Amino acid sequence: MNPFIVFQQMLLLFAMILVGYFCYKKELITDEVQPKLSYLTVNLFNPFLVISSITDKSVDKSMELVLENILLVFLLFGIWIVLSPLLVRILRVPKEKRPLYGLMNVFSNLGFMGLPLISGLYGKGATIYVSFYMLMYNVLLYTYGIYVAGKNSPKENVSFQWKKIINPGFIFSLLAILIFFLQIPIPSAVGTFVSYMGNAAVPLSMILIGVFMARIDFKTLFTNVRIYFFCLLKLIVIPILLTLLLRNLNFDKTVLGIFVIMTGMPVGTLVVLLADEYEIGGNDGVQGIILSTLFSLITLPIVSCFF
């Protein structure tokens, strides 16, 4: 993996983020418009991007590579969950904020940033591999994530609801995987339509991150020292250690390269929504998202140097 190419792709994504930032500042995207754009991106355009990966023949998607990818998916999320209690203790996170930091470590921005970056680095066909990560992400977020948040929430009568798992991201990821495994033919006209719709996901995802950044008071953003050390561990230390451990094993280069990129993704936006709903962690979640996203411009190319 060429670090310079990774850096170029990150610059492209950050240019789109700046577009979102200035659109919000110029009130071209308002607080009323943003939730609708977020809904369309998460529930329509991103799912189409996942489905469009099936029709792209530029990437090898043999069963052997898919099984390797599934193994790495389970490995990554398992390591993230196991390391979270250790990470909060290393950082000396106050007890009331430990659940939030643990969730920020486990749930990275695999959709908004992961899909566009992998599509740019390896081609649209490679996003089928990301769909397995997204499927696991959705299952864990609405089971493990809600369990952790609910258990530590000051709110009363917090209960887990299975129906929350059944969302468009989960459904379309599962659908893409089923189409792949069952080898269901997709008519060319349908494939073209899906591809065009999926293409919109990349700029919209980045523009929305820019909108989130524009809402933050940057005077207070850079004062939380603990977030800096959190980003150091999540974006540099853990990804590099995992890369060094796995790079000499007999994994396919594309599948392992996608794994390396996934390890270095910044904090996911849904973590803040979950934290707000269950009233855990305060402003640390928003700070974690913004700073980890900004730092990833530099940290992902650094991590790729070790692949």
Side-chain angles (χ1 to χ4, degrees), residues 1 59-73 118 122 126 129-130 133 246 250-262 307:
M1 188 186 305
V59 176
D60 183 6
K61 298 189 280 281
S62 66
M63 188 61 63
E64 180 182 352
L65 299 188
V66 168
L67 292 176
E68 282 188 17
N69 185 68
I70 292 173
L71 174 61
L72 290 174
V73 169
I118 294 302
Y122 291 103
Y129 294 121
V130 184
Y133 287 91
L246 296 179
N250 194 27
F251 285 105
D252 175 78
K253 290 297 183 183
T254 297
V255 172
L256 187 56
I258 292 171
F259 171 86
V260 170
I261 295 297
M262 293 294 103
F307 178 63

Side-chain angles (χ1 to χ4, degrees), residues 29-255:
I29 299 176
T30 64
D31 290 331
E32 293 75 26
V33 172
Q34 178 269 313
K36 296 176 182 179
L37 283 178
S38 294
Y39 183 88
L40 285 173
T41 303
V42 172
N43 297 293
L44 183 66
F45 296 116
N46 260 0
F48 271 118
L49 181 60
V50 173
I51 293 294
S52 69
S53 67
I54 304 295
T55 62
D56 192 301
K57 306 299 183 183
S58 62
V59 176
D60 183 6
K61 298 189 280 281
S62 66
M63 188 61 63
E64 180 182 352
L65 299 188
V66 168
L67 292 176
E68 282 188 17
N69 185 68
I70 292 173
L71 174 61
L72 290 174
V73 169
F74 277 95
L75 178 65
L76 181 57
F77 279 99
I79 289 173
W80 274 340
I81 291 173
V82 169
L83 288 180
S84 290
L86 177 62
L87 183 143
V88 298
R89 283 169 173 77
I90 291 173
L91 295 173
R92 297 182 179 178
V93 179
K95 186 176 181 180
E96 68 274 10
K97 294 185 177 184
R98 288 179 182 178
L100 174 61
Y101 275 79
L103 293 177
M104 286 197 297
N105 184 55
V106 174
F107 297 106
S108 300
N109 202 341
L110 306 184
F112 273 10
M113 286 200 73
L115 279 174
L117 184 56
I118 294 302
S119 179
L121 288 173
Y122 291 103
K124 192 181 298 181
T127 59
I128 182 61
Y129 294 121
V130 184
S131 65
F132 287 90
Y133 287 91
M134 292 178 64
L135 190 65
M136 178 65 76
Y137 179 102
N138 277 278
V139 171
L140 286 176
L141 180 70
Y142 293 105
T143 51
Y144 171 78
I146 288 179
Y147 168 76
V148 171
K151 181 181 178 182
N152 296 277
S153 174
K155 298 173 65 175
E156 296 181 357
N157 301 321
V158 175
S159 61
F160 169 74
Q161 297 178 346
W162 281 101
K163 65 180 181 181
K164 289 190 175 183
I165 297 180
I166 310 303
N167 58 75
F170 176 87
I171 292 171
F172 275 82
S173 293
L174 182 59
L175 180 61
I177 291 168
L178 288 175
I179 292 173
F180 171 78
F181 277 118
L182 299 177
Q183 295 295 300
I184 298 174
I186 298 177
S188 59
V190 174
T192 301
F193 169 75
V194 169
S195 179
Y196 285 161
M197 294 293 286
N199 288 341
V202 177
L204 276 176
S205 296
M206 297 300 101
I207 286 171
L208 284 167
I209 292 176
V211 171
F212 297 149
M213 286 186 174
R215 290 173 169 175
I216 299 299
D217 182 3
F218 277 84
K219 293 179 182 178
T220 61
L221 179 62
F222 298 98
T223 59
N224 189 341
V225 177
R226 184 176 288 110
I227 290 291
Y228 285 88
F229 286 103
F230 169 80
C231 291
L232 175 66
L233 292 173
K234 178 172 175 59
L235 302 180
I236 292 286
V237 176
I238 295 175
I240 288 177
L241 288 177
L242 289 176
T243 302
L244 292 176
L245 285 172
L246 296 179
R247 69 179 183 179
N248 293 322
L249 298 181
N250 194 27
F251 285 105
D252 175 78
K253 290 297 183 183
T254 297
V255 172

